[in-house]
Amino acid sequence: MAAADLVGVWELSACYERDEHGGMLEGPLGPNPKGRLMYTADGHVAVTMMRTSGTASSSVAMDAVGYAGTWRLAGGQVVHTIEVTSPVTGWAGSDQVRDVEELKPGSLTLAGTDVIDGKRRTAVLEWSRTPPQDH
């Protein structure tokens, strides 16, 4: 995997969680979120994702999240160094590490594991490449 393989604009196709047994759970943005992920060749990243139906119903659910900063590859992972973020202000100044589970010419699957309420959860984000726009 080369950094050039990630450069471009990606559209969120799916966002869900896997529990510690591999079971699939609804993600914090609900069943049909929308989002964009942008990687630039000079190492900048920006992502924004939002819920498209209803409102957040628990402390781990949210209506939208966005952040920007820089990115780099580290083995089979992509590291986002967060400079600005909302609403998760505790992420500012942190590295968010995502495993690259799959990378094909038109699709990218990223996963990050955390412990939430004492249980291991893996957030899975599936992205589809957005073709360049002619102007």
Side-chain angles (χ1 to χ4, degrees):
M1 171 176 51
D5 297 332
L6 294 177
V7 171
V9 179
W10 300 86
E11 181 176 348
L12 188 62
S13 301
C15 175
Y16 55 91
E17 291 184 348
R18 286 191 303 251
D19 65 21
E20 61 270 11
H21 306 291
M24 198 158 84
L25 307 167
E26 184 174 290
L29 293 169
N32 299 302
K34 288 190 174 194
R36 290 281 192 276
L37 168 63
M38 292 175 270
Y39 289 117
T40 67
D42 64 351
H44 289 88
V45 62
V47 63
T48 186
M49 299 179 291
M50 63 178 264
R51 176 180 292 275
T52 60
S53 61
T55 57
S57 59
S58 72
S59 62
V60 294
M62 57 184 69
D63 291 324
V65 64
Y67 62 82
T70 59
W71 71 281
R72 68 184 184 282
L73 288 177
Q77 298 176 314
V78 61
V79 180
H80 297 170
T81 299
I82 310 303
E83 295 172 8
V84 294
T85 182
S86 179
V88 190
T89 56
W91 282 6
S94 73
D95 284 344
Q96 296 296 311
V97 179
R98 303 291 180 253
D99 295 321
V100 179
E101 290 193 343
E102 182 175 274
L103 176 60
K104 295 181 179 178
S107 65
L108 169 66
T109 302
L110 300 175
T113 301
D114 205 348
V115 176
I116 300 171
D117 296 330
K119 297 178 183 174
R120 182 184 162 120
R121 295 281 190 260
T122 300
V124 180
L125 300 160
E126 296 178 1
W127 302 93
S128 298
R129 188 176 292 280
T130 301
Q133 300 294 310
D134 293 328
H135 293 286

